[in-house]
Protein backbone atom coordinates (compact mmCIF):
# COMPACT_ATOMS: atom_id res chain seq x y z
CA UNK A 1 0.00 0.00 0.00
CA UNK A 2 1.17 3.52 -0.79
CA UNK A 3 1.82 5.79 2.19
CA UNK A 4 0.98 9.38 1.34
CA UNK A 5 1.82 12.30 3.58
CA UNK A 6 -0.50 15.06 2.42
CA UNK A 7 0.40 18.32 4.12
CA UNK A 8 -1.94 21.30 4.27
CA UNK A 9 -1.11 24.35 2.23
CA UNK A 10 -1.06 27.81 3.76
CA UNK A 11 -2.26 31.24 2.65
CA UNK A 12 -1.22 34.80 3.34
CA UNK A 13 -3.52 37.00 5.40
CA UNK A 14 -6.64 37.95 3.43
CA UNK A 15 -5.40 36.14 0.28
CA UNK A 16 -6.58 33.12 -1.69
CA UNK A 17 -3.80 32.78 -4.26
CA UNK A 18 -1.57 29.70 -4.26
CA UNK A 19 1.85 30.59 -2.86
CA UNK A 20 5.08 29.07 -4.16
CA UNK A 21 5.46 26.84 -1.08
CA UNK A 22 1.83 25.74 -1.41
CA UNK A 23 2.32 24.83 -5.08
CA UNK A 24 4.97 22.29 -4.06
CA UNK A 25 2.48 20.53 -1.76
CA UNK A 26 -0.39 20.62 -4.27
CA UNK A 27 1.88 19.13 -6.92
CA UNK A 28 2.49 16.14 -4.61
CA UNK A 29 -1.27 15.58 -4.39
CA UNK A 30 -1.61 15.92 -8.17
CA UNK A 31 1.14 13.32 -8.77
CA UNK A 32 -0.64 10.81 -6.55
CA UNK A 33 -3.98 11.53 -8.21
CA UNK A 34 -2.46 10.99 -11.65
CA UNK A 35 -0.84 7.75 -10.53
CA UNK A 36 -4.11 6.53 -8.99
CA UNK A 37 -6.92 7.78 -11.25
CA UNK A 38 -9.69 6.46 -8.98
CA UNK A 39 -8.73 8.67 -6.02
CA UNK A 40 -11.12 11.43 -5.00
CA UNK A 41 -9.97 14.34 -2.84
CA UNK A 42 -11.89 16.55 -0.42
CA UNK A 43 -10.38 20.01 0.00
CA UNK A 44 -11.23 21.82 3.21
CA UNK A 45 -10.17 25.48 3.34
CA UNK A 46 -9.96 27.56 6.50
CA UNK A 47 -9.17 31.05 7.79
CA UNK A 48 -7.88 32.55 10.98
CA UNK A 49 -10.41 34.37 13.17
CA UNK A 50 -9.35 37.98 12.68
CA UNK A 51 -12.16 39.11 10.37
CA UNK A 52 -15.95 38.86 10.70
CA UNK A 53 -17.31 35.32 10.49
CA UNK A 54 -19.21 35.83 7.19
CA UNK A 55 -16.18 37.43 5.54
CA UNK A 56 -14.01 34.51 6.66
CA UNK A 57 -16.49 32.01 5.27
CA UNK A 58 -16.37 33.70 1.84
CA UNK A 59 -12.56 33.91 2.00
CA UNK A 60 -12.28 30.20 2.80
CA UNK A 61 -14.59 29.42 -0.13
CA UNK A 62 -12.27 31.44 -2.41
CA UNK A 63 -9.30 29.49 -1.04
CA UNK A 64 -11.05 26.19 -1.71
CA UNK A 65 -11.91 27.30 -5.25
CA UNK A 66 -8.35 28.50 -5.87
CA UNK A 67 -6.92 25.16 -4.71
CA UNK A 68 -9.43 23.18 -6.79
CA UNK A 69 -8.86 25.35 -9.87
CA UNK A 70 -5.08 24.87 -9.53
CA UNK A 71 -5.52 21.10 -9.64
CA UNK A 72 -7.99 21.17 -12.53
CA UNK A 73 -5.65 23.41 -14.56
CA UNK A 74 -3.01 20.70 -14.14
CA UNK A 75 -5.13 17.88 -15.47
CA UNK A 76 -7.22 16.59 -12.57
CA UNK A 77 -10.88 16.01 -13.43
CA UNK A 78 -13.26 18.34 -11.54
CA UNK A 79 -15.42 15.36 -10.64
CA UNK A 80 -12.60 14.02 -8.48
CA UNK A 81 -12.35 17.10 -6.25
CA UNK A 82 -14.81 18.34 -3.65
CA UNK A 83 -13.98 21.75 -2.20
CA UNK A 84 -15.52 23.30 0.91
CA UNK A 85 -14.82 26.51 2.79
CA UNK A 86 -15.21 26.34 6.56
CA UNK A 87 -14.25 29.87 7.54
CA UNK A 88 -12.94 30.11 11.08
CA UNK A 89 -15.00 27.16 12.40
CA UNK A 90 -12.14 24.61 12.60
CA UNK A 91 -9.16 26.37 14.13
CA UNK A 92 -6.13 24.15 14.84
CA UNK A 93 -5.15 26.12 17.94
CA UNK A 94 -6.62 28.49 20.53
CA UNK A 95 -6.34 31.60 18.34
CA UNK A 96 -10.00 32.52 18.32
CA UNK A 97 -11.47 36.01 18.58
CA UNK A 98 -9.85 38.24 21.22
CA UNK A 99 -6.98 35.80 21.87
CA UNK A 100 -3.44 37.18 21.80
CA UNK A 101 -1.62 35.05 19.20
CA UNK A 102 1.48 35.43 17.11
CA UNK A 103 1.36 35.74 13.32
CA UNK A 104 2.84 32.24 13.08
CA UNK A 105 -0.01 30.86 15.21
CA UNK A 106 -2.62 32.61 13.04
CA UNK A 107 -0.88 31.26 9.91
CA UNK A 108 -1.56 27.68 11.00
CA UNK A 109 -5.29 28.36 10.68
CA UNK A 110 -5.08 29.86 7.16
CA UNK A 111 -4.89 26.54 5.35
CA UNK A 112 -6.37 24.06 2.91
CA UNK A 113 -6.29 20.43 3.97
CA UNK A 114 -6.49 17.47 1.57
CA UNK A 115 -8.28 14.24 2.46
CA UNK A 116 -8.44 11.17 0.24
CA UNK A 117 -12.09 10.20 0.54
CA UNK A 118 -11.62 6.73 -0.94
CA UNK A 119 -8.24 5.43 0.26
CA UNK A 120 -9.21 1.94 -0.87
CA UNK A 121 -8.57 3.19 -4.43
CA UNK A 122 -4.83 3.08 -3.66
CA UNK A 123 -3.80 -0.48 -4.41
Amino acid sequence: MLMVNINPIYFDLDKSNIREDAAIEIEKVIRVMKEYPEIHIDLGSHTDSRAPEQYNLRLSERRAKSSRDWMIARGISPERITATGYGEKQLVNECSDNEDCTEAEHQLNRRTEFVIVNPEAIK
Side-chain angles (χ1 to χ4, degrees), residues 6-122:
I6 301 176
N7 297 312
I9 61 169
Y10 296 98
F11 295 87
D12 292 329
L13 179 64
D14 200 32
K15 303 285 185 196
S16 60
N17 59 299
I18 303 299
R19 302 183 330 195
E20 215 172 291
D21 60 330
I24 293 167
E25 292 302 319
I26 289 183
E27 291 300 329
K28 290 178 189 176
V29 176
I30 290 170
R31 279 194 303 275
V32 171
M33 291 185 78
K34 286 183 176 180
E35 185 173 343
Y36 297 91
E38 300 302 315
I39 289 177
H40 291 256
I41 295 284
D42 183 34
L43 306 176
S45 292
H46 308 270
T47 66
D48 61 32
S49 65
R50 294 186 285 179
E53 191 172 323
Q54 276 305 111
Y55 178 84
N56 281 337
L57 181 59
R58 288 189 305 275
L59 176 58
S60 68
E61 289 167 350
R62 287 195 313 272
R63 288 176 176 168
K65 181 181 182 326
S66 176
S67 300
R68 184 175 187 269
D69 289 349
W70 181 275
M71 295 176 76
I72 291 167
R74 284 149 184 83
I76 302 301
S77 171
E79 292 79 28
R80 298 176 61 200
I81 309 167
T82 305
T84 306
Y86 294 99
E88 60 185 76
K89 294 293 184 195
Q90 297 180 9
L91 301 175
V92 297
N93 52 32
E94 302 301 317
C95 294
S96 60
D97 293 337
N98 303 317
E99 291 294 324
D100 188 25
C101 293
T102 66
E103 180 57 31
E105 290 170 318
H106 284 299
Q107 171 72 94
L108 293 174
N109 291 312
R110 298 190 309 263
R111 70 201 188 280
T112 291
E113 298 172 316
F114 302 87
V115 175
I116 298 173
V117 296
N118 60 335
E120 68 278 0
I122 301 174

